[in-house]
Amino acid sequence: MKMNGARILLECLKLEGVETVFGYPGGTVINLYDELFSFKAIRHILPRHEQAGVHAADGYARATGKVGVAIATSGPGATNTITGIATAYMDSIPLVIITGQVPTALIGNDAFQEVDIIGITRPCTKHNFLVKDVKDLATIVKKAFYIARSGRPGPVLIDLPKDVQIATTEFSYPESVDIRGYKPTVEGHPRQIEKAVSMILASRKPLIYVGGGVVLANGAEELTDLARKLGVPVTTTLMGLGSFPENDPLSVGLLGMHGTYCANMAVTNCDLLVAVGARFDDRVTGKIATFAPHAKIIHVDVDPTSIKKNVRVDLPIVGDVKGVLSRMLKVAAEQSAKVKAFAKDLAPWRGEIEAWRVKHPLGYKSSTSVIKPQLVIQKLRELSDPDAIVATDVGQHQMWTAQFFQFNKPRTLLSSGGLGTMGYGLPAAMGAQAAFPKRQVMVICGDGGFQMNMQEIATLVQNRLPVKIVILNNNFLGMVRQWQELFFDKRYSQTCMELPIDFVKLAEAFGAKGLRATKPAEVESVIKEGFKIPGPVIMEFKIAREEKVLPMVPAGASLNEMVLNA
Amino acid sequence: MLHTITVLVENEFGVLSRVAGLFSGRGFNIDSLSVAPTNEETLSRMTIVTRGDDQILEQITKQLNKLIDVIKVIDFTDGSAIEREMALIKVTAEDVSRAEVLRIVDIFRAKIIDVTPKSYTIEATGAPAKIDAILELLRPLGLKELVRTGPVAIGRGAKGWKG
């Protein structure tokens, strides 16, 4: 059937199983939006800023595991997507972003609302395409989705000029695509996998270090199974949280800059580190030279460039994490007697870790006069559904959430790890709620990051997305303030948000509900009431203004040089 | 250490910027880069001369392979390839030096491709070291202008690779 480019794009999205897109109309996508007007198979959500649209698609993708889709017009619409795209790129989130472009004849002429978005997004997309001929469109969309979701996932941008949306051609959607320059290694090398199991069984102090790759590969079940069978303790990165239940006795919690004492001590003292879907980020390793100094390192990752990028690796395994883990389980099952004995022999090592946990557990000084942020996080866990989805912004509240919320299921934490994007949380929660209208979705944010995308309350109200917005308000850009306190002599340069905003009234102005707690005794009732209200709610907690995130490994220090109380 | 890397890529617009951007974005060095279509018109071949230790070279090849438009990457540094480079050299040639320039050109089997009463323009081809050598001899006579292609490389032996 003959169709125009705009219609072809929509048909392709439908065939890819896309149900919801987040987009913002404009001059060069007006034809696309005209087709969308009568195209009922796809639900379109209009954010109030293109950046939020991409973050929403990102939150949708993280929560569901599907490819998120966002649309923006050319020029400023396209440039507004950049932060969202870079956020997804750093955390390997599968997205397809469609931008309008000026007609092909005008490209390069500095036309109205023209920008070289292909050039701009080259370093922050997995790949991008400029569609110059409507005949190529269907194949390009197929390729874009394939590239976005396969291998190490990531965002792919399609730049679609206005005249290509108007031009017509016969539509047929390819069943599959073959890209000769793109053949990700999915299957881990069987001999390497056997070797890995032997190395684990030969170790005395092994530790599994889990990153976001386990979540992305849907490998949480296999990982949990393997760790439990082997009796090996597990530490997770921010991105890996949820892939191993934190209420399991084998969980040692978060590692790295704000990791637990026992996790960082375990890394420093282990004799074998099994990294799974993690990339040895500087926030995780601290000083590289003293990272896991006594350990042999096994590194499982689907992306070969991650291996040996930052640390030496003794045994690399390139492949899909889920497949590699299930193969390891099989190899372990073949020698179950040995595995059982091994797990038993690890008791002293687990005891050593337990002793570190008892020595310096995660904690805070409680107060009856002022609300401690950690208390709010703990109460949120206690009073929310077990499968609740939590988005965070970036900063202190993000670390408190990572430390105190306790994540037991994958895809329940949505957080910008790699790029550290303030303003991410609210729109990401919006995307997750759009995917799961019945599940409890909340965003935990600070007063700073919240203000970066607070216009999205309008989108929540308009689309009946009952996201619960938790603001831990200290009237500070808290994380930077903490650094200024510890390393810059308390010179709080530009970190005090002096204007006291009435967030309750703000919520009401948008047609949402607002609640506020100023005393510890009010925390529980506000959370309970907030969760009970059917629509979007702001719950503002006036917290201890100069509370710090601890422990903390100062930038550039070794993991065992933690500041525990300051 | 210098490495000569050959990269087979899709012959499409924007591929050069992807490769060049990868080098600049990750702080890798490019000493020279040459690119042109191959015998198969959908493919282009780049020859890149870069430097770095083993760990950096491993990253460079892995990162290049990660680009969707890159089909194949070979690091030719182990001596398994022949390298050739061309230089066009404009050199001062007056009075006595005219004969000297001609002698050097003859020794290096180069060619004079343009002549004026005051200059010769020379075309020289060879391994990069040979180009360096002829330049060293010509420099004292007065180098007016120099353009080098950067080396291209091809594997030794009967086997060819197209990708």
Side-chain angles (χ1 to χ4, degrees), chain A residues 477-518:
Chain A
L477 298 173
M479 188 57 97
V480 182
R481 187 211 60 77
Q482 173 171 338
W483 282 54
Q484 288 170 336
E485 178 187 334
L486 293 174
F487 313 118
F488 292 89
D489 236 0
K490 291 202 176 187
R491 290 154 58 87
Y492 294 164
S493 181
Q494 297 299 318
T495 43
C496 184
M497 310 284 267
E498 277 167 48
L499 182 76
I501 296 171
D502 188 334
F503 288 117
V504 172
K505 274 196 187 147
L506 182 85
E508 285 161 2
F510 279 104
K513 289 274 186 315
L515 304 168
R516 178 182 297 128
T518 53

Side-chain angles (χ1 to χ4, degrees), chain A residues 20-89:
Chain A
T20 306
V21 301
F22 302 86
Y24 209 103
T28 59
V29 284
I30 199 162
N31 302 87
L32 176 59
Y33 275 86
D34 187 58
E35 284 294 330
L36 189 68
F37 192 69
S38 49
F39 195 86
K40 296 299 169 211
I42 289 174
R43 174 193 191 194
H44 181 278
I45 291 178
L46 174 74
R48 295 305 187 263
H49 191 294
E50 289 91 347
Q51 181 196 346
V54 181
H55 287 326
D58 171 311
Y60 182 95
R62 290 187 207 227
T64 60
K66 300 200 313 193
V67 179
V69 179
I71 301 170
T73 192
S74 63
T79 53
N80 276 346
T81 66
I82 304 294
T83 301
I85 295 172
T87 302
Y89 184 64

Side-chain angles (χ1 to χ4, degrees), chain A residues 84-96:
Chain A
I85 295 172
T87 302
Y89 184 64
M90 287 291 269
D91 291 342
S92 311
I93 305 305
L95 296 184
V96 169

